Amino acid sequence: MSLLKRPSVTRRRKAWRLSIRARLMLLALLAVTPLIVDRVHLTESSRVERIQSAYVEVVAVARRARDAQAETIEAARALMQVVSRAYVASAARPADCAAFLWGFASDTPWISSLSVVGADGRITCSTRRQVIGLDLSDRDYVRDVQRTRHYVLSDYLLERSHEKSTVLMAFPIVRPGSDDVEVLLAPVDLHWLGRLGQGVESRTGMAAYLIDGKGTVLAGVQSRERLVGRRFGDHPLVQTVQSAPDGTATLDGFDGVRRIFGYTSLPGTDVRIVVGYSEREVLGKIERESGLAYLHLAFFGLLTVIAAWLIGEHLIVEPIRSLARTATRIGQGDLKVRADPGAWAPEFVPLATALSDMAGRLAARERELRAANAHLEELASIDPLSGLANRRSFDARLATEWTRAGEACRPVALLMIDVDHFKLFNDGYGHVQGDACLRQIGRVLAGVADAETDFVARWGGEEFVLLLPDSGLDRAVDLAERLRLAVLGLRIRNEEAPAGHITVSIGVAAHVPGPDTRPQDLIEAADTALYAAKRRGRNTTVVEGDARHDDPPLAVAG
């Protein structure tokens, strides 16, 4: 009988071992499930982020092209202003006019020529001889300049022979004592679009277009195919981009390839810059990455099951649970946690190391982001011209000091400083010298102030402010006079000003914050005193109490 029972017992023992292994595999799968779910979530989130990133990137590329165009137009306008003034001042003879204009055009690669259109609408002088005598009196941009005496940009002109678009900038030439208006004319080559096209050609499936309001491609590249001069007025892409100043859309391009497009308008025109990434290229890469991620998950799950079947709960399930706990803590933001392999099977050591490396990289990335955010906050609080604090930073500091002074019943003083006749200085010496003047005054102001307690900021334009916590009128007036004399000592020439050099006017106010007072009251008091100083002839300091005896503030230029 005992011999007959042995096969049955053996079968039961095998079934028991199989049941234990099955339970171990189930436990192993349950242990890695949080990791799998988290990885799937990360993979799908990455997919969405990549698509959104593609939208953001195409819009950013389009806007960079728009900004480059705006910079080119502004640089051309500044050059035209200089040439116009120099042309009037030189009173060049017709024989010398072309050489005079060539001296400017030769150093400016984005302006191919310069021409002077007489009051009768004919070109009287040009760096291109073949256009002299050409009648442009019927051109809108010439008539608009002669009528308004302001510079004018023409519509985009298409040069199909060179496959590029240009705009004509017309600038008025007004001679003193004359009612006639001549016109300085220059074609501006928008070379920035060429650089955009080179970038597009280097990426598979990308396209870039410059499209006017009628759907004509002024410049464009798609799959190495040139589209300049072709009109797509009824194309869905044209209708979409013309419906709003900027935005994104996923549509078929002019070649039938479906793309993720970003577009933006050029200021003052109905022209759109359109940049598109191939949807297939973007999604294809994401799909490959997602497939690879899921393949890794499947392989890891299979490996876990086999290991659980062969080795057992102690060497498999517990390490997986430990790794899951580590991954969960990392996901919750505990980047200092590390997985300790201990006596684990060697197969788990790389995973533990990978988790530790991931936590280390995430911690390093977090530190970098914190440093970058701190740097951005610093930049947002500094005036780039003078290096002093800007108005936003000043408002925050004033609010803080006002609250603190109110709690301590201490006074807060404010100096409002304005550079006298600064507009005349800018007009006479140019914006470069104007900026240099403001920087010098900013350095003087920083030198007079106490770096540990006082707060110096640029209020805007040619105005500065000096905040003096825990200071009354006596110290404020003393600092104001020291500052005024220090600026006077700079001896910055300003022949347009009555004094012959740069001076400052200063308004002084000091308040003890109360329950019914606001920081704006202190600003308004100092500003009123400043206007009183200007009415009294500038280059002086006025205290808020004295300013109340003056007439109401008048508009005072400079």
Side-chain angles (χ1 to χ4, degrees):
M1 292 293 295
S2 61
L3 293 177
L4 294 175
K5 291 180 181 179
R6 284 179 182 175
S8 177
V9 172
T10 301
R11 286 194 295 271
R12 285 198 300 271
R13 287 178 178 176
K14 287 182 178 180
W16 181 79
R17 287 196 294 269
L18 289 174
S19 176
I20 290 294
R21 289 173 178 172
R23 287 197 294 268
L24 289 176
M25 287 189 295
L26 178 61
L27 290 174
L29 289 175
L30 291 175
V32 300
T33 296
L35 286 176
I36 295 175
V37 171
D38 187 58
R39 184 61 184 273
V40 169
H41 175 71
L42 290 176
T43 301
E44 293 302 321
S45 298
S46 176
R47 174 190 177 92
V48 174
E49 290 175 0
R50 291 291 297 276
I51 295 174
Q52 294 298 325
S53 177
Y55 279 114
V56 172
E57 187 175 349
V58 292
V59 172
V61 172
R63 288 177 177 172
R64 284 199 299 270
R66 176 199 63 192
D67 293 342
Q69 187 256 12
E71 291 174 3
T72 301
I73 294 298
E74 180 58 25
R77 188 200 65 79
L79 176 65
M80 297 282 277
Q81 183 177 22
V82 171
V83 175
S84 173
R85 291 181 176 178
Y87 180 78
V88 172
S90 66
R93 296 175 301 173
D96 301 329
C97 177
F100 172 81
L101 295 179
W102 180 253
F104 290 94
S106 60
D107 296 330
T108 311
W110 30 268
I111 291 183
S112 58
S113 65
L114 286 170
S115 304
V116 175
V117 180
D120 60 352
R122 294 185 179 275
I123 297 178
T124 59
C125 173
S126 176
T127 55
R128 299 172 61 187
R129 296 181 180 178
Q130 60 271 28
V131 301
I132 295 177
L134 186 64
D135 187 2
L136 301 180
S137 59
D138 60 337
R139 306 300 167 90
D140 291 339
Y141 48 85
V142 173
R143 290 200 298 258
D144 289 345
V145 171
Q146 291 177 334
R147 177 174 52 83
T148 64
R149 298 196 175 194
H150 291 288
Y151 86 95
V152 171
L153 287 176
S154 73
D155 292 334
Y156 281 78
L157 305 177
L158 185 62
E159 298 182 20
R160 298 185 181 179
S161 58
H162 296 87
E163 292 192 343
K164 66 180 182 181
S165 57
T166 62
V167 293
L168 287 176
M169 176 172 286
F171 201 92
I173 302 175
V174 181
R175 300 183 184 275
S178 175
D179 294 333
D180 293 335
V181 178
E182 297 176 88
V183 179
L184 182 63
L185 196 63
V188 181
D189 178 14
L190 304 181
H191 58 287
W192 49 269
L193 193 64
R195 294 200 301 269
L196 177 63
Q198 294 171 4
V200 169
E201 290 181 338
S202 64
R203 182 163 179 168
T204 305
M206 281 190 61
Y209 315 115
L210 184 67
I211 306 172
D212 66 10
K214 299 178 181 178
T216 301
V217 178
L218 303 175
V221 180
Q222 66 174 22
S223 305
R224 303 186 182 277
E225 178 186 359
R226 302 293 175 174
L227 304 173
V228 175
R230 297 176 60 182
R231 177 172 293 185
F232 298 90
D234 297 330
H235 197 281
L237 175 59
V238 173
Q239 296 176 356
T240 299
V241 302
Q242 291 294 345
S243 65
D246 52 45
T248 58
T250 301
L251 297 168
D252 291 343
F254 297 141
D255 56 354
V257 176
R258 191 170 180 80
R259 292 184 175 88
I260 297 173
F261 287 104
Y263 57 91
T264 187
S265 63
L266 298 181
T269 71
D270 58 358
V271 176
R272 300 291 189 272
I273 295 177
V274 186
V275 178
Y277 290 172
S278 170
E279 184 182 48
R280 180 178 180 182
E281 291 293 327
V282 173
L283 296 182
K285 187 175 182 179
I286 296 175
E287 294 294 345
R288 289 192 296 271
E289 292 178 355
S290 299
L292 184 60
Y294 287 124
L295 182 61
H296 288 167
L297 288 176
F299 175 75
F300 180 72
L302 180 61
L303 181 62
T304 302
V305 171
I306 294 175
W309 178 272
L310 297 176
I311 300 176
E313 181 177 2
H314 178 72
L315 295 179
I316 299 299
V317 177
E318 184 56 34
I320 291 176
R321 288 174 177 169
S322 178
L323 289 172
R325 289 192 295 269
T326 302
T328 301
R329 291 177 62 185
I330 292 174
Q332 293 172 348
D334 184 4
L335 302 180
K336 295 182 179 179
V337 65
R338 295 292 184 271
D340 182 12
W344 295 356
E347 291 80 2
F348 289 98
V349 175
L351 185 56
T353 303
L355 282 175
S356 298
D357 291 343
M358 181 180 69
R361 291 192 181 97
L362 289 175
R365 180 59 176 165
E366 185 179 23
R367 290 192 296 270
E368 292 174 1
L369 290 175
R370 290 182 184 274
N373 288 337
H375 181 61
L376 289 175
E377 290 179 1
E378 180 181 356
L379 291 178
S381 64
I382 294 176
D383 173 55
L385 174 64
S386 63
L388 303 175
N390 59 17
R391 183 167 180 176
R392 172 187 176 188
S393 181
F394 168 77
D395 290 340
R397 181 63 176 269
L398 175 59
T400 300
E401 295 295 344
W402 188 266
T403 301
R404 187 178 67 83
E407 294 172 351
C409 294
R410 299 284 296 170
V412 179
L414 178 65
L415 273 61
M416 186 76 74
I417 305 107
D418 186 86
V419 183
D420 297 329
H421 301 294
F422 186 72
K423 184 177 185 300
L424 297 177
F425 184 87
N426 249 349
D427 293 342
Y429 296 90
H431 290 284
V432 174
Q433 291 299 322
D435 291 347
C437 172
L438 293 179
R439 281 192 288 268
Q440 291 186 66
I441 293 176
R443 287 193 291 269
V444 169
L445 183 56
V448 170
D450 187 339
E452 294 184 359
T453 59
D454 303 339
F455 190 79
V456 184
R458 183 183 178 198
W459 180 256
E462 66 271 22
E463 289 187 312
F464 298 85
V465 288
L466 174 55
L467 182 65
L468 307 174
D470 298 329
S471 299
L473 283 176
D474 292 341
R475 179 170 182 259
V477 171
D478 179 64
L479 281 179
E481 280 301 295
R482 287 168 53 193
L483 171 62
R484 186 182 65 81
L485 294 175
V487 173
L488 197 62
L490 292 175
R491 308 299 295 177
I492 302 174
R493 292 189 59 80
N494 185 6
E495 296 178 354
E496 302 296 332
H501 47 266
I502 287 294
T503 59
V504 294
S505 299
I506 305 176
V508 181
H511 288 180
V512 176
D516 298 328
T517 60
R518 307 167 301 152
Q520 187 64 27
D521 298 335
L522 180 63
I523 295 174
E524 291 175 356
D527 192 53
T528 300
L530 172 62
Y531 273 93
K534 285 186 168 291
R535 289 194 301 273
R536 294 181 185 182
R538 298 181 173 84
N539 189 24
T540 187
T541 299
V542 174
V543 180
E544 60 171 318
D546 297 337
R548 296 191 186 101
H549 302 296
D550 288 356
D551 295 331
L554 300 174
V556 181

